[in-house]
């Protein structure tokens, strides 16, 4: 067990994990590790190397691409005043990992065990050396089974899609609520049904349904749980 405090926050897409994890990390002066950004970085690395999007649903194609590119993928997770940065083979990918293509490829490629093993190793090293708030899909069930605090953050799919839609509209994007909703439901279905370390609530996690809660309420609730444990 790590001698550092490890807080695991898992849940489906758009539940608010990263906003909440970041706020808790800031309050506690822990580091925040966004593990989704790590899967996204590999997805972007594949796309930069000619990944064929029309084959993204082929397990054979995904496996072949992971086999071909995993060894040369060197990921550094760094921190500056803006938070976490992801650097791949010396190139800063941070600003480019949130596009729809990267999102779609990150979910499909994350089903390949060899990629998961490589990223989980790095996640565990970081958690063994730091107080950390880590968010993802499998942190409480697989990556940090002994985490000090485990939270499974949810909200209804409608509410999650609405939040994502409002965010995108506020940033000037022309998006369709129905498409956001459909993509989100499909991604959760895929992330929950993969064989290795699927999205799932750990038996010993505290389930938090944020549908009718404000951000501050969720943050306070998780901070209280954390204080009670440390
Ligand atoms: O949290 P996110 O939307 O940035 O994650 C992108 C994808 O990465 C998600 O659809 C599934 C995958 N992922 C994962 O499999 N395990 C994690 N711990 C984090 C993300």
């Amino acid at each position: 067990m790590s001698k550092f405090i490890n807080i695991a926050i898992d849940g489906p897409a758009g539940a608010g994990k990263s906003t909440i994890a970041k706020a808790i990390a800031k309050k506690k002066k822990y580091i925040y590790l966004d593990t989704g950004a790590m899967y996204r970085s590999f997805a972007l690395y594949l796309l930069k190397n000619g990944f064929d999007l029309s084959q993204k649903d082929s397990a054979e194609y995904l496996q072949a691409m992971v086999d071909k590119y995993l060894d040369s993928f060197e990921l550094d997770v760094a921190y500056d005043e803006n938070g976490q940065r992801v650097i791949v083979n010396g190139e800063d990918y941070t600003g480019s990992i949130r596009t729809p293509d990267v999102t779609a490829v990150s979910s499909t490629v994350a089903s390949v065990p060899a990629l998961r093993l490589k990223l989980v190793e790095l996640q565990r090293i970081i958690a063994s050396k730091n107080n950390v708030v880590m968010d993802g899909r499998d942190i409480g069930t697989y990556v940090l089974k002994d985490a000090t605090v485990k939270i499974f953050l949810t909200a209804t799919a409608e509410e999650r899609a609405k939040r994502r839609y409002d965010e995108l509209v506020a940033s000037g994007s022309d998006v369709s609520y129905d498409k956001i909703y459909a993509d989100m439901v499909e991604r959760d279905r895929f992330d929950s049904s993969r064989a290795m370390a699927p999205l799932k609530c750990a038996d010993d996690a505290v389930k938090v349904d944020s549908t009718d809660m404000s951000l501050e309420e969720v943050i306070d609730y998780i901070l209280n749980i954390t204080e009670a444990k440390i």
Side-chain angles (χ1 to χ4, degrees):
M1 193 195 272
S2 172
K3 63 183 163 57
F4 291 94
I5 309 291
N6 293 167
I7 301 178
I9 303 185
D10 291 302
K17 299 185 297 292
S18 68
T19 309
I20 283 156
K22 253 185 235 164
I24 289 169
K26 191 166 176 211
K27 195 106 183 171
K28 298 295 297 172
K29 299 198 169 57
Y30 296 173
I31 66 165
Y32 163 56
L33 185 70
D34 171 359
T35 63
M38 300 169 78
Y39 291 92
R40 286 172 181 273
S41 297
F42 187 68
L44 180 55
Y45 184 60
L46 289 188
L47 284 162
K48 283 178 185 273
N49 280 288
F51 185 91
D52 176 2
L53 271 169
S54 71
Q55 295 195 62
K56 85 171 173 49
D57 297 323
S58 154
E60 292 73 29
Y61 182 69
L62 289 173
Q63 185 68 56
M65 289 301 275
V66 171
D67 288 346
K68 186 161 177 200
Y69 289 105
L70 191 58
D71 279 351
S72 60
F73 172 71
E74 279 188 28
L75 172 66
D76 280 320
V77 176
Y79 292 88
D80 68 10
E81 65 283 359
N82 297 314
Q84 175 180 313
R85 309 203 72 77
V86 279
I87 320 287
V88 175
N89 298 351
E91 190 181 337
D92 192 335
Y93 275 19
T94 315
S96 317
I97 56 171
R98 310 267 159 211
T99 65
D101 285 354
V102 172
T103 302
V105 175
S106 64
S107 174
T108 49
V109 88
S111 64
V112 180
L115 171 63
R116 301 201 71 79
L117 291 173
K118 179 162 174 163
L119 297 186
V120 167
E121 189 182 356
L122 191 55
Q123 291 157 14
R124 287 182 176 150
I125 290 172
I126 294 171
S128 71
K129 295 183 180 163
N130 300 277
N131 292 325
V132 66
V133 185
M134 198 179 288
D135 77 4
R137 304 292 188 290
D138 60 337
I139 311 305
T141 52
Y142 183 78
V143 181
L144 304 175
K145 284 202 183 108
D146 293 325
T148 326
V149 176
K150 295 184 186 181
I151 304 292
F152 193 79
L153 188 65
T154 61
T156 60
E158 290 76 12
E159 175 66 19
R160 292 185 283 114
K162 182 180 171 296
R163 290 178 191 167
R164 183 63 51 91
Y165 174 80
D166 289 347
E167 233 171 66
L168 289 167
V169 168
S171 68
S173 305
D174 179 20
V175 286
S176 134
Y177 169 85
D178 290 343
K179 169 118 180 54
I180 291 174
Y181 177 86
D183 287 352
M184 197 171 252
V185 169
E186 170 54 18
R187 190 148 69 96
D188 291 340
R189 190 198 59 74
F190 194 84
D191 291 340
S192 309
S193 57
R194 66 171 173 243
M196 184 178 174
L199 163 66
K200 196 168 89 182
C201 180
D203 293 339
D204 52 351
V206 179
K207 210 167 180 172
V208 181
D209 183 340
S210 71
T211 308
D212 297 315
M213 291 171 82
S214 70
L215 215 54
E216 290 69 31
E217 282 172 326
V218 177
I219 293 165
D220 282 349
Y221 185 65
I222 297 175
L223 278 172
N224 284 338
I225 295 173
T226 305
E227 295 305 334
K229 289 260 186 180
I230 58 179

